[in-house]
Amino acid sequence: MCEMTKELLSSQRSPLLPDRHPQRDLFVCDIVDAVPKGDISSMENPVFTLSTKPDMRTRRYERGENWIQVAPSRAGLATVHDRDVLIYCISQCMAALNDGQQVQRRMRFKAYDLLVATNRQTSGRGYELLKDALRRLQGTQIETNLRQGGKEYFKVFGLIDSAEIVKETRDGRMLDVEVTLSDWVFDAIENNHVLTLNRQYFKLRKPLERRLYEIARKHCGAQSAWKVGIKLLRDKCGSSSTLKEFRRLLGKIIEDDAEHDHMPDYAFVIEGDIVVVRPKEETRPTALPFLPSSLRLDPETHEEARRLAPGWDMHHLEGEWRSWVLEKGIAVKNPDKHFLSFCKKRGGYQR
């Protein structure tokens, strides 16, 4: 096949993976929110590699005095696509909690259900890829320093503690899989530190597209816009590309989205050295009937909030609080008290 034909076929290919299975219910959660209780720094640092080939690098990310280090096993670092396993596990646990059931770190599920729910292939190759994902999730080791209450803690953990294939048919396909989630992930479940993901996330081909969506979902939320420097966005994505190459890759995703509208919920625009993220019109809230009254704050509340969360822009923090309340559907009886509690948990800004 000549190069011109290859290029033509590549340009005609949809940026989305095919919808391999019938649509199912929307899944809940974002593993980038599955952080140790009280820690906000890990949201600033990528955990999963963007590489589709075995990534054997140990990587360290620093933001001010906070740092996180991610080390691979001999199977390599856990990938953005491996994260599907955690999304599925957290989704099942959250659904059980919403039904009033108890959940445990150790859970068993049908491998086929996971593959269908996350839009993965259910062929023999699909089951082998799931095995590989479990190996990387168990082997990837994370080290970080946690700052809380004037103290610094050193913590080492994995994404899952263990995984076991309970049954396997003669042709190699898994039937039941048992996974023991790490404390790091299970804490997020117990404390409801999860966000809802658009199901189209599982159809995004490129790891960078998935990571961009995760970041937009966390930082932009329901705000009218969120701005970030392109260099910081590259670091948040965990990209090893040069700044020039990252800009090109991001520009290609923006170009494809303009043509195919394949990126869920959020649109990206490059303005000089700044990237602006905005909710797409169809996902932006059209009616917030209770916002002006139920979530109105007393002018003096910001003063107390500055004491509880020094260094933060109060208007930005208030926007995050409002978005969180709306997304979670929380009934707020006392908005001032509720906002102050939110600020207290957020703590001082970590530069």
Side-chain angles (χ1 to χ4, degrees), residues 79-304:
T79 72
V80 167
H81 286 90
D82 295 342
R83 181 177 177 272
D84 291 354
V85 176
L86 292 178
I87 292 175
Y88 181 79
C89 290
I90 295 173
S91 301
Q92 296 303 304
C93 287
M94 294 305 299
L97 287 173
N98 290 336
D99 286 341
Q101 304 175 33
Q102 291 186 338
V103 295
Q104 297 180 341
R105 291 199 303 130
R106 180 179 295 178
M107 59 184 300
R108 182 179 294 192
F109 53 85
K110 299 293 183 183
Y112 177 84
D113 290 344
L114 182 149
L115 296 175
V116 171
T118 56
N119 196 43
R120 286 170 169 250
Q121 53 185 310
T122 54
S123 62
R125 175 62 176 161
Y127 287 89
E128 285 301 316
L129 290 173
L130 178 54
K131 280 184 181 179
D132 292 340
L134 293 171
R135 291 188 185 103
R136 288 189 292 266
L137 288 168
Q138 194 281 327
T140 297
Q141 186 178 71
I142 300 170
E143 300 180 12
T144 186
N145 65 330
L146 308 176
R147 295 174 182 275
Q148 186 176 350
K151 297 180 180 179
E152 179 176 321
Y153 301 86
F154 173 73
K155 190 172 182 69
V156 182
F157 52 90
L159 295 167
I160 62 175
D161 283 357
S162 64
E164 180 180 357
I165 301 171
V166 181
K167 296 179 181 178
E168 189 170 329
T169 59
R170 290 183 179 179
D171 62 2
R173 296 192 182 188
M174 289 175 268
L175 294 181
D176 291 349
V177 176
E178 191 169 276
V179 170
T180 302
L181 300 173
S182 68
D183 288 336
W184 188 62
V185 175
F186 198 67
D187 282 348
I189 295 170
E190 290 190 310
N191 291 285
N192 199 26
H193 290 167
V194 298
L195 291 174
T196 299
L197 290 179
N198 190 311
R199 181 166 171 74
Q200 188 156 310
Y201 169 88
F202 296 112
K203 293 175 67 178
L204 294 175
R205 286 183 184 273
K206 300 176 181 177
L208 180 57
E209 290 175 334
R210 293 190 175 204
R211 180 64 184 140
L212 287 169
Y213 171 76
E214 295 165 7
I215 292 171
R217 182 68 185 88
K218 170 60 173 66
H219 289 284
C220 186
Q223 298 179 84
S224 59
W226 177 67
K227 298 182 179 181
V228 60
I230 194 166
K231 183 178 183 301
L232 179 56
L233 181 60
R234 181 195 63 174
D235 295 343
K236 281 178 174 287
C237 287
S239 173
S240 58
S241 300
T242 64
L243 204 56
K244 181 180 179 180
E245 175 64 7
F246 180 77
R247 181 189 289 268
R248 187 192 70 79
L249 293 171
L250 178 58
K252 182 63 169 65
I253 291 172
I254 293 173
E255 180 182 319
D256 288 344
D257 192 42
E259 181 179 353
H260 299 280
D261 192 27
H262 71 292
M263 289 293 289
D265 300 346
Y266 300 97
F268 296 76
V269 177
I270 301 175
E271 297 181 355
D273 292 330
I274 300 296
V275 179
V276 182
V277 184
R278 294 186 178 90
K280 292 185 175 180
E281 291 299 328
E282 63 269 22
T283 64
R284 192 172 297 167
T286 55
L288 303 176
F290 59 94
L291 182 58
S293 55
S294 298
L295 297 182
R296 185 175 296 161
L297 298 177
D298 187 283
E300 296 181 358
T301 300
H302 274 190
E303 291 301 318
E304 176 63 14

Side-chain angles (χ1 to χ4, degrees), residues 5-145:
T5 304
K6 289 181 180 179
E7 185 174 342
L8 179 61
L9 290 175
S10 177
S11 65
Q12 292 175 340
R13 186 178 72 165
S14 168
L16 290 176
L17 294 168
D19 192 355
R20 297 187 173 107
H21 312 286
Q23 290 292 324
R24 290 196 173 190
D25 292 338
L26 198 70
F27 280 89
V28 184
C29 71
D30 186 341
I31 194 58
V32 184
D33 262 355
V35 295
K37 187 176 179 180
D39 174 39
I40 63 172
S41 64
S42 60
M43 269 307 303
E44 302 300 322
N45 303 283
V47 172
F48 299 91
T49 178
L50 299 178
S51 178
T52 56
K53 297 179 180 180
D55 190 343
M56 308 305 296
R57 299 170 300 164
T58 294
R59 301 177 301 170
R60 183 182 177 98
Y61 303 92
E62 298 184 6
R63 290 286 292 165
E65 296 179 335
N66 297 314
W67 58 267
I68 182 171
Q69 182 168 291
V70 187
S73 66
R74 61 183 180 180
L77 291 170
T79 72
V80 167
H81 286 90
D82 295 342
R83 181 177 177 272
D84 291 354
V85 176
L86 292 178
I87 292 175
Y88 181 79
C89 290
I90 295 173
S91 301
Q92 296 303 304
C93 287
M94 294 305 299
L97 287 173
N98 290 336
D99 286 341
Q101 304 175 33
Q102 291 186 338
V103 295
Q104 297 180 341
R105 291 199 303 130
R106 180 179 295 178
M107 59 184 300
R108 182 179 294 192
F109 53 85
K110 299 293 183 183
Y112 177 84
D113 290 344
L114 182 149
L115 296 175
V116 171
T118 56
N119 196 43
R120 286 170 169 250
Q121 53 185 310
T122 54
S123 62
R125 175 62 176 161
Y127 287 89
E128 285 301 316
L129 290 173
L130 178 54
K131 280 184 181 179
D132 292 340
L134 293 171
R135 291 188 185 103
R136 288 189 292 266
L137 288 168
Q138 194 281 327
T140 297
Q141 186 178 71
I142 300 170
E143 300 180 12
T144 186
N145 65 330

